[in-house]
Amino acid sequence: MPVPIESHSLTWNVTPDLLGILDNDGVFIETNPAWQHTLGWGVEEILSRTFFDFLHPDDIDANAEAFREIKTGTPILNFENRYRTKDGTYRWLSWNAVPEGGNYFCSARDVTAAKANAATLRSREEEALLREQFVAVLGHDLRNPLASIRSAMNIMAREEQSERSRQMVEAVNGSVDRMAALIADVMDFARSRLGSGIDLEMTAPVHLAEIVSQTVDELRLAHPGREIRTDLTFDGTVKGDETRLAQLASNLLGNAVQHGDPAAPIRVSLSRQQENVVLAVRNGGQTIPPDKLKTIFEPFYSADVGIDKKGLGLGLFIVSQIAKAHQGHMSVRSDETETEFAFTLAVP
């Protein structure tokens, strides 16, 4: 005979978990109040009915097998199924059940919300992976037609041109260069997000000061009106990918040119600090708010709001990935005086 509900402990009556006792035929001989709170069924609507009466049709076979197992004395732990509520919908329950004295003592927890959250997260992850795979394939396939355009422009440039056509060839070549840079950024982004990371070709010891000097010279030619000051006191070498380190320096300087105050000089320093070498790029301009500093190395980031961006917002993200691939790290600070981006790399 089942124990009267009144004699059960306070836990039996107030716990949000569904508690119940089944007989050897799977018939409920007792349940606690949580059944009504969770599923809407009153005690009198559950007693004398088998647990199969409440199951989702697709879960019946698995539950029948589990019930056969518990009859052999094997406890059931974390077994999930769907139970019908009084309004006809279903909720996911996670069960633990143990055999005792010819009956089966069961407890279940409502995991419907957790299942829904997991499904949503899984869907978002799959969507993000598909999007990044698409971006990678698209970026790769764009390179071939772009190379054809560049070749055609090079052939045209060798022909006799009017001043108008020469200007058009130069404009197309400039657009090709920008498109190639965008495709390279997209490919780097896709590789880093798909798990392979930024690819490195570790070259012979790299003279970082030479790379920085060359990058500064290129920026001075491209932006003759901007003042760029250098203080490159580190003249040693580092182990790394020369091309990627040049890309890092170029992105940092380009960021300073684009976002800094045109009237304020850009200051570039390269120095040895204990066991590290630090490349710092500083520019004047508006202070970056603290909340934006927290996400400034995230992809598609822009510190500026309401202006036309010249890229995809991947520059600083790629900088951080290049730093990470070299076992280094990026840092940023910004106040009313200046904004500084610093690349720190350990050296022997």
Side-chain angles (χ1 to χ4, degrees), residues 228-303:
I228 305 177
R229 302 175 184 175
T230 60
D231 181 19
L232 312 180
T233 60
F234 175 75
D235 60 358
T237 60
V238 299
K239 182 180 180 181
D241 183 322
E242 184 172 353
T243 300
R244 288 296 191 182
L245 290 173
Q247 183 182 6
L248 180 147
S250 179
N251 281 7
L252 289 180
L253 279 162
N255 182 74
V257 169
Q258 181 176 351
H259 300 290
D261 180 359
I266 296 171
R267 298 188 296 121
V268 182
S269 66
L270 182 68
S271 60
R272 178 75 177 255
Q273 298 181 14
Q274 297 180 343
E275 300 302 316
N276 301 313
V277 59
V278 179
L279 168 63
V281 177
R282 305 174 182 88
N283 63 265
Q286 293 185 346
T287 303
I288 302 175
D291 61 322
K292 290 187 177 292
L293 287 177
K294 295 177 182 178
T295 58
I296 201 165
F297 293 111
E298 294 297 316
F300 308 115
Y301 170 86
S302 175

Side-chain angles (χ1 to χ4, degrees), residues 55-348:
L55 286 174
H56 189 284
D58 294 342
D59 294 344
I60 291 177
D61 290 343
N63 280 262
E65 178 62 28
F67 194 53
R68 284 192 289 269
E69 282 193 29
I70 198 173
K71 286 184 175 182
T72 67
T74 304
I76 294 175
L77 301 175
N78 302 317
F79 184 87
E80 294 183 350
N81 59 22
R82 287 161 288 184
Y83 256 53
R84 188 176 70 256
T85 67
K86 193 169 183 178
D87 64 11
T89 60
Y90 287 88
R91 299 195 69 81
W92 280 96
L93 303 178
S94 177
W95 290 89
N96 294 312
V98 294
E100 185 175 337
N103 292 326
Y104 307 96
F105 291 78
C106 312
S107 67
R109 179 158 296 179
D110 186 355
V111 294
T112 305
K115 296 283 284 189
N117 291 339
T120 300
L121 178 60
R122 189 162 54 248
S123 176
R124 289 177 179 173
E125 289 174 345
E126 291 171 354
E127 180 183 348
L129 179 60
L130 180 62
R131 183 169 58 248
E132 288 160 13
Q133 288 174 334
F134 171 77
V135 167
V137 171
L138 180 64
H140 182 272
D141 289 349
L142 282 175
R143 286 180 166 177
N144 289 334
L146 194 63
S148 298
I149 295 172
R150 188 188 296 276
S151 297
M153 289 299 100
N154 289 338
I155 293 172
M156 289 184 62
R158 291 194 292 268
E159 303 291 335
E160 185 176 349
Q161 304 285 331
S162 66
E163 180 62 21
R164 174 61 175 165
S165 61
R166 184 186 63 79
Q167 292 176 353
M168 292 177 64
V169 169
E170 290 180 354
V172 171
N173 279 331
S175 297
V176 168
D177 289 340
R178 286 192 295 275
M179 290 174 65
L182 289 173
I183 291 173
D185 283 352
V186 167
M187 293 295 292
D188 284 341
F189 164 73
R191 275 191 292 264
S192 65
R193 294 300 289 261
L194 291 172
S196 58
I198 293 287
D199 58 314
L200 297 181
E201 293 183 10
M202 306 302 279
T203 55
V206 178
H207 290 270
L208 195 53
E210 294 180 4
I211 291 176
V212 175
S213 294
Q214 182 177 350
T215 304
V216 169
D217 289 342
E218 292 172 355
L219 262 292
R220 283 171 174 159
L221 287 174
H223 303 275
R226 296 302 296 271
E227 180 182 0
I228 305 177
R229 302 175 184 175
T230 60
D231 181 19
L232 312 180
T233 60
F234 175 75
D235 60 358
T237 60
V238 299
K239 182 180 180 181
D241 183 322
E242 184 172 353
T243 300
R244 288 296 191 182
L245 290 173
Q247 183 182 6
L248 180 147
S250 179
N251 281 7
L252 289 180
L253 279 162
N255 182 74
V257 169
Q258 181 176 351
H259 300 290
D261 180 359
I266 296 171
R267 298 188 296 121
V268 182
S269 66
L270 182 68
S271 60
R272 178 75 177 255
Q273 298 181 14
Q274 297 180 343
E275 300 302 316
N276 301 313
V277 59
V278 179
L279 168 63
V281 177
R282 305 174 182 88
N283 63 265
Q286 293 185 346
T287 303
I288 302 175
D291 61 322
K292 290 187 177 292
L293 287 177
K294 295 177 182 178
T295 58
I296 201 165
F297 293 111
E298 294 297 316
F300 308 115
Y301 170 86
S302 175
D304 297 316
V305 179
I307 65 170
D308 293 332
K309 294 193 295 183
K310 296 182 179 180
L312 297 174
L314 292 174
L316 291 176
F317 170 75
I318 291 171
V319 161
S320 69
Q321 295 300 302
I322 294 173
K324 182 179 179 181
H326 282 85
Q327 308 302 313
H329 68 272
M330 292 298 306
S331 61
V332 58
R333 66 173 182 82
S334 183
D335 55 33
E336 64 279 0
T337 304
E338 64 181 6
T339 295
E340 175 192 85
F341 287 89
F343 167 51
T344 300
L345 178 65
V347 293

